[in-house]
């Protein structure tokens, strides 16, 4: 396998790893020019918004190497080499690829560039680059401050279960992370980069912010831990607030934590702002403190086998006493030859001598005993610490097995005993411990510094988790085997002379642990406060959450100033909580949410088997990822179900916000692949058969016309479609551009974008289809035949009315219309023709009253019933009433028809008024006869005008070819197809004798043609059709002249194409005098049913 060395190169003001991260489209046609930024060509890198549109060598870059492009061996590919790179050029760009992390690297590179030296290539190995940083991030405050207390409360067995659950969860997450991290080059950005590029911008933004909040609260937790060590064990005298009585102890401690925590946070923020590189250089010092502290614990445990440390615990009966309240564990002491009361006696009894003072009843009835706080590894104390001993707040710490006489002691003396400060449970301890298992992303965050990130990240991370898990498991056993149970349950070491409990076990001195843990927590806090602003800056620079855009800016060297300010404010919220035990579950939620989606990303990519999913790390499986994901969810709800709901709610709101804003990012994410797989599965299911009548809904193909500037000519067609669909079902918007596809591809793209923009304005959710055809009629036929995919095909066509067809001498407008009607009928599709569509309401209008009138003349499968119901779902038509009119002939029982129709509508669950209109037989009026005659005379006249001699057509064609104009977007639509008039021009014509004679014959025939028009008698079938159109129009206008919308059966076109022009006239007569008309023609199947 070839080995590639990633060498950093000096970029011209932008990062270069974007060029390989997700190119959606490369414009190979623009050669000889520099790369320009296209908004949608390249996804962001996770740490910046820099884009690079030309990941390959362009001809401008290789002007001096043009001879190479025309190598004799590659002569066959000369044309391709003009616009595409050679393999050698591509490989050169790949080898020079670099990914530079943010943080201290900016400072170092700035200093290096000032000195004029090139930056060093990434050279960190697995040990220094991944393993040790992960150790430093995983080991933290919980190990030193809370693990002994967790063992005391939960017992060894349940503590091992807690550690195992958390460590298995992080191990499974590390396996998933390793698979993602080794699937290509991972720029710096850690888990945010991996999740966003694997699950898309919505998930990436939501989980990225959760991870940011988790890291921010982690800094607050570390600061609280450092302040707890400082005030409890290092300098207790520094406390500002002091408790007046026993009840004020907790509040005084919390106030001290708030004050000192805020001061410490401010100082750390200043350090990070001034020089983050010093934080990174001190990281090795902090890691050394952690390692020394852990080694001292093991050394102390081994030493306790033979020489356990002396930490006596004073017990009154079976109750544990606070060591700082007395000097000697005895009721009386000898001073000279006299027996005098001890300090304990004075605390429990009223002042006076031994015989006269009144003492606490429990104090008098029970004896004082001293037990060893650290019995040692050979003492057998492990048996007593094996099982849990959970406590409620205020409960006294008691040692089972010691003799005790139950008696009611004074409540005023409770401050002398050790009590539980919070109520504990298994779930609470899980939430408190889990932060000590986090920090596994430290290696992936440093991928820009690694020599071989794809090898180092999996090995280093998994080894670090295995090491820390082993340390935690052995520490649990050692604590339970060496330390007395009441000392383990003593959270702050009050029973062992205010020593850190884990420090009592360490060797050579408890100060090793105290000082080491203090520096390690301070270092971890600085690291978190350094990493969190950079993570927020990465999210902001990706520009997927608009209101975070300001946090993408910073100092000239890349330092995220504004992000650091916000991080400090959020961390201050955690400081104000002031309780380590309350902050830990909060950041547990956010980290678990992050780990959950890392596992989900790996599982989705594995199950989808996307071609780009080729991780070098082979030891993963989708079942492991799902198991890790399930464990994350379980741990979230185990530790704190209400925090889990809040964290999921925050992530959900961010997800919906990004989705609502419409993140225009294409990162080749797995969710897109999941959508494709789901769509494929659904389409294959739909292919089984036609939908049942109950599932039928209009799937629209809307045929639009574009003007000469490629703008939608009648946007109200889309408005009507959106009102009819109300956002549901399939909508395809199609249009035809007349021309040659090879020459008109640019116009096609422009037209498609124009239609999509109009669809977005009119809120039409659907697809756009633009077709280039030599003839508009052919393009429409192609759309009707080929739009849709599988079972997701249109079943209804919406097209406009060809206005002005009467005034046009060119018949193509109405012929295209009628041909489309015939094609739709032949395809067994439904048809809707909105007439006077310009008068249709916009989406912002509201009809507060009015009627939608349905004229049901011919049964069309129920389309006329269903369409008003669908329109009334939209807010524009919601308050309109529905009226249904049907026509009764002389032999029909109109009363019975009305009853039957009302029953039918009741069974259809459609509310509407019912009217039956009687049409009596009547003689054909003179108006009808005259109108039919005028229609046929006009048709005959236009036919004669069009049937000119072949010679004149040929000469006209010459003129047309010479002065033809480019026409595009011509479609039948709501206006006649305009034909550009031929401007007068001087045309040289050659006249022959035959041409002259033919012209004279035409002039002689003109009077005869006129006499034929005068003597023309109308066809009787046309007269009958005109009679029907006139009578129906009279009835409809009489009843529905004020209706908001009239729906009407559309008559079918004549079988003989000779009567096409007459058909248009019949439709005009039928709809005269109506403001808004929707002509409807069914597709030949039932679309509505009375059954449930």
């Amino acid at each position: 396998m070839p080995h590639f060395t990633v060498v950093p190169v000096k970029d011209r003001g932008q990062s270069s790893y974007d060029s390989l991260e997700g190119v959606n489209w490369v414009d190979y046609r623009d050669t000889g020019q520099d790369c320009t930024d296209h908004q949608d060509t390249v996804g962001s890198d996770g740490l910046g918004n820099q884009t690079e549109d030309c990941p390959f060598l362009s001809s401008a870059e290789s002007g001096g190497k043009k001879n190479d492009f025309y190598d004799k061996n590659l002569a066959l590919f000369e044309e391709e080499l003009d616009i595409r790179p050679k393999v050698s050029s591509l490989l050169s760009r790949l080898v020079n690829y670099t990914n530079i992390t943010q943080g201290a690297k900016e400072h170092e590179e700035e200093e290096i560039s000032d000195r004029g030296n090139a930056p060093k290539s990434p050279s960190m190995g697995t040990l220094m680059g991944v393993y040790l940083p992960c150790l430093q991030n995983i080991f933290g405050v919980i190990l030193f401050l809370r693990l002994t207390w967790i063992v005391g409360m939960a017992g060894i067995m349940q503590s091992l279960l807690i550690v195992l659950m958390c460590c298995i969860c992080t191990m499974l997450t590390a396996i998933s992370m390793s698979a993602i991290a080794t699937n290509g080059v991972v720029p710096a950005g850690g888990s945010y980069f991996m999740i966003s590029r694997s699950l898309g911008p919505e998930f990436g933004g939501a989980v990225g912010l959760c991870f940011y909040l988790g890291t921010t609260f982690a800094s607050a937790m570390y600061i609280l831990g450092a302040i707890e060590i400082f005030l409890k064990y290092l300098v207790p005298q520094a406390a500002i607030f002091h408790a007046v009585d026993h009840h004020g102890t907790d509040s005084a401690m919390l106030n001290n934590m708030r004050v000192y925590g805020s001061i410490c946070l401010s100082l750390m923020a200043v350090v990070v702002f001034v020089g983050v590189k010093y934080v990174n250089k001190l990281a090795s010092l902090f890691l050394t403190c952690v390692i020394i502290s852990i080694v001292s614990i093991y050394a102390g445990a081994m030493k306790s086998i033979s020489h356990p440390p002396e930490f006596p615990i004073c017990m009154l009966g079976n109750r544990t006493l606070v060591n700082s309240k007395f000097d000697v564990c005895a009721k009386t002491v000898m001073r000279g030859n006299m027996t005098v009361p001890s300090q304990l006696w004075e605390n429990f009894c009223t002042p006076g001598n031994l015989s006269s003072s009144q003492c606490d009843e429990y104090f008098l009835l029970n004896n004082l005993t001293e037990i060893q706080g650290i019995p040692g590894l050979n003492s057998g104390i492990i048996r007593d610490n094996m099982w849990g001993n959970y406590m409620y707040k205020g409960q006294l710490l008691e040692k089972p097995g010691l003799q005790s006489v139950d008696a009611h002691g004074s409540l005023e003396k409770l401050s002398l005993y050790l009590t539980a400060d919070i109520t504990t449970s298994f779930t609470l301890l899980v939430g408190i411990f889990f932060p000590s298992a986090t920090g596994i992303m430290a290696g992936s965050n440093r991928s820009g510094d690694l020599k071989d990130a794809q090898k180092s990240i999996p090995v280093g991370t998994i080894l670090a988790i295995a090491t820390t898990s082993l340390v935690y498991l052995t520490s649990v056993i050692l604590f339970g085997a060496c330390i007395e149970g009441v000392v383990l349950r003593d959270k702050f070491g009050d029973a062992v002379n205010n020593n850190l409990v884990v420090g009592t076990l360490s060797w050579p001195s408890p100060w090793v642990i105290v000082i080491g843990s203090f520096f390690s927590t301070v270092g971890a806090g600085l690291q978190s406060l350094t990493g969190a602003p950079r993570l927020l800056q990465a999210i902001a620079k990706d520009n997927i959450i608009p209101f975070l855009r300001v946090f993408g800016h910073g100092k000239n060297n890349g330092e995220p100033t504004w992000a650091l300010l916000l991080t400090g404010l959020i961390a201050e919220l955690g400081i104000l909580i002031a309780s380590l035990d309350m902050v830990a579950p909060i950041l547990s939620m956010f980290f678990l949410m992050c780990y959950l989606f890392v596992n989900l990303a790996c599982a989705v990519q594995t199950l989808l088997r996307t071609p780009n999913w080729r991780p070098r790390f082979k030891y993963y499986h989708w079942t492991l990822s799902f198991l890790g994901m399930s464990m994350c969810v379980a741990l979230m709800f185990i530790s704190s179900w209400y925090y889990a709901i809040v964290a999921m709610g925050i992530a959900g709101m961010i997800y919906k916000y990004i989705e609502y804003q419409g993140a225009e990012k294409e990162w080749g994410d797995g969710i897109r692949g999941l959508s494709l797989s789901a769509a494929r599965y659904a389409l294959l299911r739909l292919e089984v058969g036609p939908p049942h009548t109950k599932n039928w809904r209009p799937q629209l193909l809307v045929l639009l016309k574009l003007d000469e500037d490629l703008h939608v000519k009648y946007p109200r067609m889309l408005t009507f479609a959106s009102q009819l669909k109300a956002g549901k079902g399939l909508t395809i918007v199609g249009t035809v551009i007349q021309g040659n596809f090879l020459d008109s591809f640019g116009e096609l793209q422009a037209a498609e974008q124009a239609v999509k923009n109009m669809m977005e304005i009119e809120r039409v959710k659907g697809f756009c289809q633009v077709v280039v055809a030599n003839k508009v009629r052919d393009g429409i036929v192609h759309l009707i035949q080929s739009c849709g995919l599988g079972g997701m095909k249109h079943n209804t066509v919406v097209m406009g009315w060809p206005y002005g067809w009467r005034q046009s001498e060119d018949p193509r407008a109405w012929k295209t219309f009628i041909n489309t009607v015939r094609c739709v009928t032949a395809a067994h599709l439904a048809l809707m023709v909105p007439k006077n569509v310009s008068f249709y309401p916009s989406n912002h209008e509201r009809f507060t009253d009015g009627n939608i009138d349905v004229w049901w003349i011919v049964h069309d499968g129920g389309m006329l019933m269903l369409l008003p119901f669908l329109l009334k779902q939209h807010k524009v038509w919601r308050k309109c009433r529905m009226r249904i009119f049907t026509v009764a002939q002389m032999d029909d029982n109109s009363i019975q028809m009305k009853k039957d129709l009302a029953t039918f509508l009741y069974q259809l669950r459609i509310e509407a008024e019912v009217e039956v209109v009687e049409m009596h037989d009547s003689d054909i009026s003179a108006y009808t006869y005259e109108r039919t005659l005028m229609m046929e005379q006009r048709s005959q006249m236009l036919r004669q005008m069009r049937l000119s001699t072949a010679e004149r057509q040929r000469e006209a064609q010459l003129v047309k070819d010479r002065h033809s104009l480019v026409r595009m977007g011509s479609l039948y639509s709501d206006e006649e197809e305009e034909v550009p008039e031929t401007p007068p021009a001087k045309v040289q014509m050659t006249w022959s004798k035959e041409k002259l004679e033919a012209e004279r014959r035409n002039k002689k025939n003109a009077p005869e043609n006129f006499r034929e028009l005068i003597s023309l008698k109308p066809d009787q079938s046309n007269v009958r059709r005109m009679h029907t159109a006139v009578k129906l129009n009279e009835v409809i206008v009489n009843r529905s002249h004020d209706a908001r919308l009239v729906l009407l059966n559309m008559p079918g076109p004549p079988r003989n194409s000779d009567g096409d022009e007459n058909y248009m006239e019949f439709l005009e007569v039928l709809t005269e005098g109506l403001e808004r008309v929707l002509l409807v023609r069914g597709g030949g199947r039932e679309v509505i049913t009375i059954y449930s």
Side-chain angles (χ1 to χ4, degrees):
M1 181 176 293
H3 177 72
F4 294 97
T5 302
V6 181
V7 180
V9 295
K10 188 68 177 177
D11 198 5
R12 297 188 302 271
Q14 67 179 14
S15 177
S16 63
Y17 52 73
D18 251 348
S19 60
L20 304 176
E21 196 262 299
V23 180
N24 294 336
W25 171 73
V26 179
D27 190 359
Y28 293 122
R29 296 172 298 173
D30 295 336
T31 59
Q33 299 178 357
D34 291 337
C35 299
T36 57
D37 285 339
H38 295 279
Q39 183 178 0
D40 296 329
T41 55
V42 180
S44 177
D45 62 342
L47 282 174
N49 203 25
Q50 301 94 341
T51 56
E52 186 170 353
D53 278 352
C54 297
F56 310 120
L57 282 175
S58 64
S59 58
E61 292 174 330
S62 54
K65 300 181 181 180
K66 199 171 183 79
N67 293 333
D68 294 340
F69 275 11
Y70 294 98
D71 196 313
K72 294 180 180 179
N73 297 327
L74 300 177
L76 183 61
F77 299 95
E78 287 179 359
E79 294 182 0
E80 284 79 2
L81 289 176
D82 278 339
I83 57 176
R84 288 180 172 83
K86 286 200 302 183
V87 174
S88 59
S89 306
L90 174 63
L91 292 178
S92 174
R93 289 294 296 270
L94 289 172
V95 170
N96 289 328
Y97 165 83
T98 181
N99 50 0
I100 301 173
T101 59
Q102 285 190 321
K105 294 288 289 183
E106 283 89 342
H107 293 282
E108 295 171 6
E109 287 177 7
E110 190 176 27
E111 294 174 0
I112 290 171
S113 61
D114 291 340
R115 294 195 298 265
N117 298 326
K120 296 179 181 179
S121 61
S123 59
M124 297 183 74
T126 303
L127 180 67
M128 296 301 296
V130 180
Y131 180 72
L132 293 179
C134 282
L135 282 186
Q136 182 187 357
N137 280 266
I138 296 173
F139 285 134
V141 63
I142 302 297
L143 171 64
F144 303 116
L145 293 184
R146 292 292 183 268
L147 188 56
T148 54
W149 175 72
I150 291 173
V151 174
M153 291 295 178
I156 294 175
M157 297 304 294
Q158 293 188 33
S159 298
L160 290 175
L161 179 61
I162 292 173
V163 173
L164 276 174
M165 288 171 60
C166 297
C167 292
I168 289 173
C169 177
T170 53
M171 178 64 79
L172 293 174
T173 305
I175 292 173
S176 300
M177 184 196 73
S178 299
I180 298 173
T182 58
N183 186 50
V185 182
V186 179
S191 60
Y192 165 68
F193 179 89
M194 290 188 289
I195 295 171
S196 61
R197 271 52 177 185
S198 297
L199 293 180
E202 294 87 0
F203 277 111
V207 182
L209 275 186
C210 284
F211 191 52
Y212 162 73
L213 291 174
T215 308
T216 304
F217 276 102
S219 65
M221 184 189 73
Y222 289 126
I223 291 172
L224 289 174
I227 299 303
E228 183 178 312
I229 296 171
F230 178 76
L231 290 177
K232 280 286 187 180
Y233 312 113
L234 283 176
V235 191
Q237 301 82 10
I240 300 173
F241 302 94
H242 300 279
V244 179
D245 54 16
H246 170 66
H247 300 289
T249 305
D250 291 342
S251 59
M253 181 63 183
L254 293 178
N255 289 329
N256 286 320
M257 298 277 283
R258 293 186 180 104
V259 172
Y260 280 99
S262 301
I263 295 172
C264 183
L265 175 63
S266 302
L267 293 175
M268 286 186 176
V270 170
V271 170
V272 172
F273 177 77
V274 172
V276 71
K277 67 177 181 178
Y278 301 111
V279 176
N280 289 288
K281 288 181 178 179
L282 288 173
S284 57
L285 173 62
F286 299 141
L287 178 60
T288 305
C289 292
V290 173
I291 294 174
I292 292 174
S293 301
I294 293 173
V295 170
S296 71
I297 295 173
Y298 284 96
M302 295 300 105
K303 183 177 178 294
S304 70
I305 298 175
S306 57
H307 298 88
E310 290 293 330
F311 284 100
I313 309 298
C314 188
M315 309 292 296
L316 178 60
N318 63 353
R319 298 178 182 178
T320 311
L321 296 176
V322 177
N323 189 273
S324 61
K325 302 289 185 180
F326 57 90
D327 51 359
V328 179
C329 185
K331 293 183 179 181
T332 59
V333 294
M334 294 296 294
R335 289 184 182 171
N337 295 324
M338 296 180 61
T339 302
V340 295
S342 67
Q343 192 174 356
L344 266 176
W345 184 282
E346 294 174 355
N347 288 333
F348 279 100
C349 302
T350 58
N353 55 33
L354 292 173
S355 59
S356 63
S357 61
Q358 293 185 356
C359 296
D360 182 80
E361 184 181 359
Y362 187 85
F363 178 74
L364 290 175
L365 296 176
N366 290 277
N367 296 322
L368 286 167
T369 56
E370 273 192 346
I371 62 173
Q372 188 62 26
I374 312 293
L377 204 56
N378 284 337
S379 63
I381 195 69
I382 190 171
R383 289 189 296 271
D384 297 334
N385 295 330
M386 192 63 69
W387 307 109
N389 190 4
Y390 297 108
M391 306 176 68
Y392 57 85
K393 185 175 182 179
Q395 182 179 348
L396 297 171
L397 264 68
E398 299 175 346
K399 177 175 173 56
L402 283 183
Q403 289 185 356
S404 173
V405 179
D406 290 334
H408 294 289
S410 174
L411 294 176
E412 297 176 358
K413 308 301 180 183
L414 280 177
S415 60
L416 300 171
Y417 301 110
L418 280 176
T419 57
D421 63 331
I422 60 172
T423 301
T424 53
S425 63
F426 178 82
T427 58
L428 175 71
L429 299 183
V430 170
I432 292 175
F433 177 78
F434 186 80
S436 63
T438 60
I440 63 175
M441 301 292 182
S444 61
N445 290 340
R446 293 168 175 261
S447 59
D449 300 329
L450 300 174
K451 186 176 182 180
D452 187 358
Q454 296 191 4
K455 176 184 176 184
S456 297
I457 290 177
V459 175
T461 305
I462 293 174
L463 280 179
I465 294 174
T467 304
T468 54
S469 301
L470 183 63
V471 170
Y472 286 138
L473 292 171
T474 54
S475 296
V476 167
I477 297 172
L478 288 177
F479 293 157
C482 296
I483 305 176
E484 173 61 48
V486 290
V487 179
L488 288 173
R489 290 189 288 277
D490 180 11
K491 183 186 291 186
F492 301 112
D494 292 326
V496 286
N497 206 16
N498 288 333
N499 278 298
L500 184 61
V501 174
V502 69
T504 60
L505 183 61
S506 64
W507 179 87
S509 169
W511 288 102
V512 175
I513 290 286
V514 173
I515 297 174
S517 60
F518 177 76
F519 279 111
S520 69
T521 49
V522 170
L526 281 171
Q527 292 283 354
S528 298
L529 210 56
T530 303
R534 281 157 182 75
L535 182 59
L536 180 63
Q537 187 183 43
I539 299 171
K541 283 191 173 183
D542 268 351
N543 201 21
I544 57 176
I545 304 177
F547 66 82
L548 292 181
R549 198 171 298 149
V550 65
F551 299 108
H553 305 295
K555 294 194 292 186
N556 293 332
N557 58 6
E559 282 300 301
T561 309
W562 293 106
L564 177 62
L565 180 61
L566 180 65
T567 303
L569 293 175
I570 297 175
E572 179 63 22
L573 296 177
I575 297 293
L576 294 178
I577 295 174
S579 172
L580 187 68
D581 304 323
M582 294 291 290
V583 174
I586 296 176
L587 66 100
S588 294
M589 291 303 111
F590 292 123
F591 278 121
L592 282 167
M593 183 78 71
C594 174
Y595 296 166
L596 185 152
F597 283 101
V598 170
N599 286 297
L600 176 63
C602 180
V604 167
Q605 298 278 26
T606 306
L607 288 175
L608 290 178
R609 298 177 183 174
T610 52
N612 192 53
W613 181 246
R614 303 185 300 273
R616 292 187 182 277
F617 181 77
K618 302 299 182 183
Y619 306 102
Y620 71 94
H621 196 265
W622 66 268
T623 54
L624 295 177
S625 299
F626 268 111
L627 180 60
M629 186 173 61
S630 304
M631 289 195 69
C632 289
V633 175
L635 286 173
M636 287 176 70
F637 283 92
I638 285 174
S639 56
S640 178
W641 63 268
Y642 44 89
Y643 280 160
I645 292 174
V646 170
M648 288 182 172
I650 292 173
M653 286 190 292
I654 298 170
Y655 179 94
K656 296 305 292 183
Y657 175 77
I658 298 173
E659 187 180 51
Y660 174 77
Q661 289 292 329
E664 296 181 358
K665 299 288 182 183
E666 174 54 60
W667 288 330
D669 52 88
I671 293 298
R672 183 63 60 88
L674 187 62
S675 301
L676 289 172
S677 297
R680 172 182 168 274
Y681 175 77
L683 286 171
L684 291 175
R685 289 289 302 274
L686 288 174
E687 193 73 17
V688 174
H692 191 272
T693 303
K694 291 186 288 186
N695 295 327
W696 194 94
R697 64 179 62 193
Q699 315 284 12
L700 302 182
L701 170 60
V702 184
L703 299 175
L704 290 183
K705 178 180 180 180
L706 304 181
D707 59 18
E708 294 177 355
D709 296 326
L710 299 179
H711 296 147
V712 177
K713 199 162 189 179
Y714 292 95
R716 289 295 166 85
M717 292 279 289
L718 294 175
T719 309
F720 172 71
S722 68
Q723 294 169 4
L724 184 64
K725 300 300 294 178
K728 301 289 188 284
L730 175 69
T731 303
I732 303 173
V733 180
T735 187
V736 179
I737 294 177
Q738 190 170 1
N740 189 319
F741 179 77
L742 296 177
D743 301 329
S744 306
F745 183 72
E747 288 83 351
L748 181 145
Q749 288 185 312
E752 189 172 353
Q753 191 59 45
V755 172
K756 285 182 178 178
N757 292 340
M758 187 55 65
M759 289 173 66
E760 186 174 350
I761 293 172
E762 297 296 337
R763 297 183 178 179
V764 176
K765 294 183 179 180
F767 307 97
C768 174
Q769 184 74 50
V770 181
V771 171
V772 178
N774 292 326
K775 295 182 179 179
V776 175
R777 179 183 302 183
D778 295 339
I780 295 173
V781 174
H782 295 331
L783 285 173
I784 293 173
Q785 289 184 84
S786 60
C787 276
L789 180 64
M792 284 294 287
K793 293 182 69 70
H794 57 278
N795 54 29
T796 306
V797 177
V798 182
M799 64 175 178
W801 177 261
Y803 298 107
W805 66 272
R806 284 172 170 164
Q807 290 75 28
S808 173
E809 295 183 1
D810 181 33
R812 282 183 293 178
W814 54 267
K815 281 192 174 182
T816 302
F817 175 83
I818 297 176
N819 183 70
T820 305
V821 175
R822 287 197 172 99
C823 292
V824 170
T825 305
H828 299 289
L829 303 176
L831 176 65
M832 288 187 286
V833 181
K835 199 164 180 282
N836 301 327
V837 75
S838 299
F839 297 108
Y840 277 55
S842 69
N843 285 326
H844 304 292
E845 297 180 43
R846 302 286 188 278
F847 287 144
T848 56
D849 57 1
N851 301 313
I852 299 177
D853 288 354
V854 177
W855 285 85
W856 189 22
I857 301 169
V858 180
H859 180 58
D860 57 356
M863 279 281 290
L864 285 173
M865 310 289 183
L866 188 61
L867 292 177
F869 171 78
L870 295 175
L871 281 175
K872 280 170 62 65
Q873 307 303 310
H874 197 272
K875 55 190 175 183
V876 173
W877 306 91
R878 187 165 294 149
K879 295 187 177 180
C880 293
R881 297 181 302 276
M882 181 176 169
R883 297 191 301 182
I884 296 182
F885 297 91
T886 188
V887 177
Q889 302 299 325
M890 284 297 295
D891 53 348
D892 293 330
N893 186 342
S894 58
I895 298 176
Q896 188 61 39
M897 280 182 66
K898 186 172 183 178
K899 290 182 180 179
D900 294 343
L901 182 55
T903 303
F904 179 57
L905 291 177
Y906 177 79
Q907 292 174 337
L908 289 176
R909 292 88 64 199
I910 293 178
E911 296 182 4
E913 298 179 19
V914 176
E915 293 286 341
V916 176
V917 179
E918 295 182 352
M919 290 187 65
H920 301 288
D921 288 341
S922 59
D923 295 334
I924 297 174
S925 63
Y927 169 77
T928 301
Y929 191 88
E930 186 69 22
R931 183 144 189 178
T932 307
L933 180 61
M934 289 174 61
M935 175 187 72
E936 294 193 356
Q937 286 177 343
R938 178 181 177 280
S939 299
Q940 183 69 17
M941 185 183 302
L942 290 175
R943 192 176 297 113
Q944 289 177 0
M945 291 173 64
R946 288 193 293 268
L947 294 176
S948 58
T949 61
E951 287 296 328
R952 183 176 300 172
Q953 288 179 356
R954 195 174 295 115
E955 295 294 344
Q957 185 65 37
L958 289 174
V959 177
K960 181 180 179 181
D961 291 343
R962 189 172 300 175
H963 301 281
S964 61
L965 299 176
V966 177
R967 292 173 46 95
M968 59 190 62
S970 60
L971 200 63
Y972 56 87
S973 196
D974 292 359
E975 198 168 57
E976 84 277 7
E977 191 173 72
E978 299 175 0
V979 178
E981 295 181 359
T982 305
K986 296 180 180 179
V987 182
Q988 298 295 330
M989 295 186 180
T990 303
W991 287 87
S992 62
K993 184 177 180 180
E994 292 79 8
K995 288 183 181 180
L996 182 61
E997 292 177 356
E999 188 67 22
R1000 288 174 179 172
R1001 282 197 300 272
N1002 289 333
K1003 290 181 180 179
K1004 291 179 181 179
N1005 291 336
E1008 296 179 4
N1009 294 336
F1010 181 73
R1011 284 193 293 271
E1012 287 180 6
L1013 290 176
I1014 297 300
S1015 60
L1016 184 68
K1017 291 184 178 181
D1019 184 80
Q1020 289 301 314
S1021 62
N1022 288 339
V1023 173
R1024 289 197 302 273
R1025 290 188 175 89
M1026 182 65 74
H1027 175 69
T1028 302
V1030 170
K1031 294 292 291 181
L1032 267 178
N1033 178 256
E1034 289 177 0
V1035 174
I1036 294 171
V1037 171
N1038 184 38
R1039 297 295 186 95
S1040 302
H1041 63 277
D1042 58 348
R1044 299 294 187 185
L1045 179 65
V1046 176
L1047 283 82
L1048 181 63
N1049 282 116
M1050 181 178 183
R1055 293 185 177 87
N1056 187 1
S1057 60
D1058 293 340
D1060 286 353
E1061 196 168 3
N1062 299 336
Y1063 172 71
M1064 296 297 298
E1065 187 70 29
F1066 296 146
L1067 294 181
E1068 286 281 9
V1069 172
L1070 186 61
T1071 56
E1072 273 183 350
L1074 298 174
E1075 185 179 14
R1076 302 183 192 93
V1077 184
L1078 181 63
L1079 296 172
V1080 180
R1081 184 166 174 78
R1085 62 163 295 169
E1086 294 292 331
V1087 301
I1088 197 167
T1089 178
I1090 63 175
Y1091 300 105
S1092 61

